């Protein structure tokens, strides 16, 4: 299959790079990841040329790893500087120490921050170590920091098999902000491979809310592999509701799904290139 980005063929193979469509299907995860990395790099450079910061919302999990790899390559080989970049990560397990192998602090350092010239004080990741009684104030401060930085220019997202974005599990309403949440049993089961055992997976997490995510100026959601096909289809086609938090993304004016063939396999061909209702 040709890349959707440089083909002029059938409509259901989607889009040219110029047209923003809500669902773009790519030949594979690597192509989709490079496409998003290019968009991020363009935004960083454009902002740098205007002497402005670029605020990125970042995600963890296996899905965005290739995006980070490509950004690191661009930093090394194409002089992409992160000097003007401010980042806010979506979520973190709770409780968890930042140096723990499963912590999202560690994940971000290993996959991106240790390899680029970002200013460390510009990096924000919810803490997994704050005392319980300080959590709500901490979450309000996280929201405040995002606002004071000018808001998120581009939010990168994955999707969990429960339909979660960040750790906004089923039941998370459209108006939710950064807060402590209880993890769904399916999410914990999926995380058990990282923790070695289900019992070691934390029960709680701190996550940006659905509304926090929806306030981002652009949203790019990546989904790869057959195991994401059903949830991608439901998120795009089921009724919008808190039982499937990712469904709210359809209300966003600059949202795009970037999927590979396997993750797109439950979608009807007509969805490609058709603006969503
Ligand atoms: C975790 C993260 C989510 C991520 C999801 C999917 O639950 N909190 O932000 O989207 O995992 O993970 P993966 O990309 O490994 O499928």
């Amino acid at each position: 299959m040709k890349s959707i980005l440089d083909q002029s063929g059938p409509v259901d193979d989607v889009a040219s790079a110029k047209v923003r469509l809500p669902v773009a299907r790519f030949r594979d995860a690597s192509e989709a990841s490079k496409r998003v990395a290019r968009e991020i790099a363009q935004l960083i450079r454009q902002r740098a040329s205007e002497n402005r910061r670029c605020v990125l919302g970042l995600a963890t999990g296996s899905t965005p790893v290739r995006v980070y790899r490509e950004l690191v390559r661009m930093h090394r080989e194409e002089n992409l500087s992160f000097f003007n970049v401010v980042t806010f990560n979506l979520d973190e397990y709770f409780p968890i120490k930042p140096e723990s192998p499963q912590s999202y602090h560690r994940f971000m350092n290993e996959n991106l921050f240790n390899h680029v010239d970002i200013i460390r004080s510009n990096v924000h990741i919810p803490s997994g170590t704050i005392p319980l009684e300080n959590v709500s104030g901490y979450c309000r401060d996280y929201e405040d920091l995002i606002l004071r930085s000018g808001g998120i220019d581009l939010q990168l997202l994955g999707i969990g098999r429960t339909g979660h974005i960040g750790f906004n599990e089923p039941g998370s309403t459209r108006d939710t902000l950064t807060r402590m949440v209880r993890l769904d049993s399916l999410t914990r089961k999926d995380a058990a491979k990282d923790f070695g055992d289900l019992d070691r997976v934390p029960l709680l997490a701190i996550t940006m809310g659905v509304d926090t995510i929806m306030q981002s100026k652009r949203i790019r959601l990546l989904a790869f592999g057959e195991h994401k096909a059903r949830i991608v289809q439901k998120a795009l086609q089921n009724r919008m509701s808190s039982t499937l938090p990712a469904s709210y993304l359809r209300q966003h004016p600059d949202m795009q799904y970037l999927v590979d063939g396997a993750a797109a396999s439950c979608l009807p061909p007509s969805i490609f290139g058709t603006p969503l209702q």
Side-chain angles (χ1 to χ4, degrees):
M1 196 198 305
K2 276 204 277 182
S3 157
I4 62 155
L5 292 172
D6 31 25
Q7 57 88 43
S8 51
V11 173
D12 87 308
D13 256 333
V14 202
S16 82
K18 290 185 196 114
V19 187
R20 271 244 174 280
L21 297 168
V23 191
R25 185 174 62 194
F26 290 78
R27 187 175 52 201
D28 55 31
S30 170
E31 292 244 330
S33 304
K34 284 183 183 157
R35 174 67 185 81
V36 177
R38 261 204 310 277
E39 182 175 3
I40 293 172
Q42 265 166 17
L43 190 60
I44 295 174
R45 287 191 167 116
Q46 182 203 322
R47 289 297 168 83
S49 73
E50 298 162 354
N51 232 345
R52 291 167 64 198
R53 67 183 107 181
C54 175
V55 185
L56 299 176
L58 298 179
T60 51
S62 55
T63 307
V65 166
R66 292 180 193 82
V67 176
Y68 299 142
R69 202 177 297 152
E70 179 63 7
L71 288 171
V72 171
R73 189 198 65 73
M74 287 187 208
H75 170 68
R76 287 186 180 146
E77 297 174 14
E78 298 171 8
N79 293 324
L80 175 67
S81 172
F82 286 71
F83 194 71
N84 64 325
V85 174
V86 175
T87 63
F88 288 92
N89 261 77
L90 282 166
D91 49 16
E92 177 59 290
Y93 293 108
F94 190 95
I96 198 162
K97 295 201 177 103
E99 62 275 13
S100 142
Q102 301 85 9
S103 113
Y104 289 164
H105 285 73
R106 182 153 175 172
F107 175 97
M108 290 308 303
N109 286 335
E110 287 179 358
N111 285 286
L112 183 64
F113 301 140
N114 286 350
H115 311 290
V116 295
D117 60 341
I118 195 160
I119 299 169
R120 284 289 166 156
S121 56
N122 285 343
V123 167
H124 306 93
I125 306 176
S127 168
T129 58
I130 28 169
L132 260 184
E133 63 272 24
N134 297 345
V135 167
S136 54
Y138 177 86
C139 292
R140 271 197 306 276
D141 290 348
Y142 202 73
E143 288 285 328
D144 254 26
L145 265 177
I146 296 175
L147 286 180
R148 279 194 277 126
S149 72
I152 292 170
D153 292 306
L154 188 149
Q155 175 68 56
L156 194 59
L157 285 182
I159 185 168
R161 287 199 300 148
T162 59
H164 73 211
I165 44 176
F167 271 136
N168 291 283
E169 299 286 19
S172 302
T173 52
R174 168 68 181 78
D175 57 357
T176 46
L177 297 172
T178 303
R179 68 204 187 288
M180 179 168 274
V181 291
R182 185 167 291 280
L183 295 176
D184 189 276
S185 54
L186 178 58
T187 300
R188 292 188 66 241
K189 218 171 108 196
D190 282 349
K193 61 179 183 322
D194 299 329
F195 285 83
D197 185 59
L198 182 59
D199 289 340
R200 295 205 199 120
V201 182
L203 295 166
L204 303 171
I206 292 182
T207 182
M208 281 185 197
V210 176
D211 192 50
T212 324
I213 294 169
M214 291 291 282
Q215 285 176 43
S216 312
K217 292 167 193 116
R218 298 184 205 177
I219 300 177
R220 301 292 178 259
L221 186 149
L222 298 169
F224 306 134
E226 210 181 324
H227 62 301
K228 296 290 171 82
R230 285 302 299 171
I231 199 66
V232 164
Q233 182 266 326
K234 287 182 183 169
L236 287 164
Q237 298 200 295
N238 279 17
R239 199 172 61 84
M240 216 180 295
S241 88
S242 63
T243 56
L244 216 165
S247 65
Y248 290 120
L249 298 173
R250 277 141 55 188
Q251 289 179 328
H252 194 280
D254 192 351
M255 156 71 195
Q256 193 178 31
Y257 272 71
L258 296 96
V259 296
D260 64 1
S265 59
C266 293
L267 293 170
S270 60
I271 205 162
F272 299 106
T274 310
L276 299 166
Q277 297 306 306

